[in-house]
């Protein structure tokens, strides 16, 4: 089990960071908000969870241990694999997910791509008493990292990574442009949440 990786960020993609550890580049899949906190050439430390499949070994990285633990607990629910668990954390912080489950808020869960009304109800049952009570910590989305430049590309990549078509992502980015430009430092987490709300209303 690889509990964490610590090293220099060698590369960043739409859903992956490459962290150089001891001369080896480790590809780590992350949420858009976690990726937004990383910079190429800068040292980083990510809590990690290794998912082993017959044909693959995939390392998932998180801003902190709470995200990592939530990622692992989410996968104990029936039908939730690592991709869906990561998508849930891309839309909501661990504490907001705890609040949604504690409050039996199925509608909130349907904001995650891939979760419909019936699936949300099943998740509420499966995750009952597993995530724990909300602590009141954290923002409404991921780690809420501010992004001063290139927010359009990061937001677009995040939406495509969550399974939306390129044209849908284009429209969603356009819809939140005014909100982003009004902020001194656009918050990729808040923009992603706003874009997803717009997409889900269609």
């Amino acid at each position: 089990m690889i509990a964490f990786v610590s090293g220099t960020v060698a590369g960043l993609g739409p859903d992956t960071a490459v962290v150089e550890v001891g001369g080896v580049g480790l590809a780590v899949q992350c949420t858009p908000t976690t990726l937004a906190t990383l910079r190429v050439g800068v040292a980083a430390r990510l809590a990690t969870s290794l998912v082993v499949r017959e044909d693959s070994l995939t390392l998932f990285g998180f801003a902190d241990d709470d995200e990592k633990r939530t990622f692992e607990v989410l996968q104990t629910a029936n039908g939730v694999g690592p991709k869906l668990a990561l998508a849930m954390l891309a839309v909501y912080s661990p504490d907001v997910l705890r609040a949604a489950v504690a409050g039996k808020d199925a509608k909130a869960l349907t904001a995650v791509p891939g979760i419909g009304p019936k699936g949300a109800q099943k998740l509420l049952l499966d995750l009952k008493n597993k995530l724990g009570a909300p602590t009141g910590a954290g923002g409404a989305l991921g780690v809420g990292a501010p992004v001063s430049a290139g927010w359009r590309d990061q937001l677009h990549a995040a939406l495509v990574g969550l399974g939306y078509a390129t044209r849908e992502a284009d429209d969603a980015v356009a819809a939140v442009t005014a909100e982003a430009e009004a902020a001194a430092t656009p918050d990729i987490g808040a923009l992603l949440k706003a874009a997803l709300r717009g997409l889900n209303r269609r």
Side-chain angles (χ1 to χ4, degrees):
M1 181 65 180
I2 302 174
F4 70 90
V5 297
S6 181
T8 302
V9 178
L12 292 171
D15 58 4
T16 305
V18 177
V19 181
E20 184 177 345
V21 181
V24 177
L26 298 177
V28 187
Q29 292 199 19
C30 307
T31 63
T33 43
T34 296
L35 288 170
T37 67
L38 306 176
R39 297 291 180 269
V40 174
V42 177
R45 184 184 189 276
L46 296 172
T48 56
S49 180
L50 180 64
V51 175
V52 180
R53 295 286 185 264
E54 288 184 5
D55 58 349
S56 66
L57 295 172
T58 307
L59 200 58
F60 293 86
F62 308 94
D64 55 40
D65 289 330
D66 188 23
E67 275 196 341
K68 171 185 172 179
R69 188 190 77 84
T70 303
F71 172 78
E72 292 173 344
V73 171
L74 289 173
Q75 291 177 77
T76 65
N78 187 37
V80 178
K83 293 288 188 182
L84 184 55
L86 198 68
M88 293 172 75
L89 285 168
V91 177
Y92 294 121
S93 70
D95 209 50
V96 173
L97 284 172
R98 285 191 284 267
V101 172
K104 299 179 181 179
D105 189 352
K107 186 176 180 180
L109 296 183
T110 61
V112 179
I115 299 180
K118 289 184 179 179
Q121 292 292 346
K122 287 182 62 179
L123 280 173
L124 291 177
L125 289 174
D126 286 350
L127 294 171
K128 184 181 179 182
N129 301 323
K130 289 184 178 180
L131 286 177
T135 64
L141 250 278
V143 295
V147 179
S148 58
W151 67 266
R152 287 182 179 81
D153 290 341
Q154 292 194 44
L155 180 59
H156 191 277
L159 291 166
V160 172
L162 288 171
Y164 288 100
T166 299
R167 181 162 183 173
E168 289 178 309
D170 289 340
D171 292 343
V173 170
V176 299
T177 294
E179 177 181 338
E181 292 180 345
T185 54
D187 182 326
I188 191 68
L191 292 173
L192 179 59
K193 184 177 182 180
L196 289 168
R197 279 200 303 265
L199 286 166
N200 289 331
R201 278 199 293 266
R202 295 179 184 178

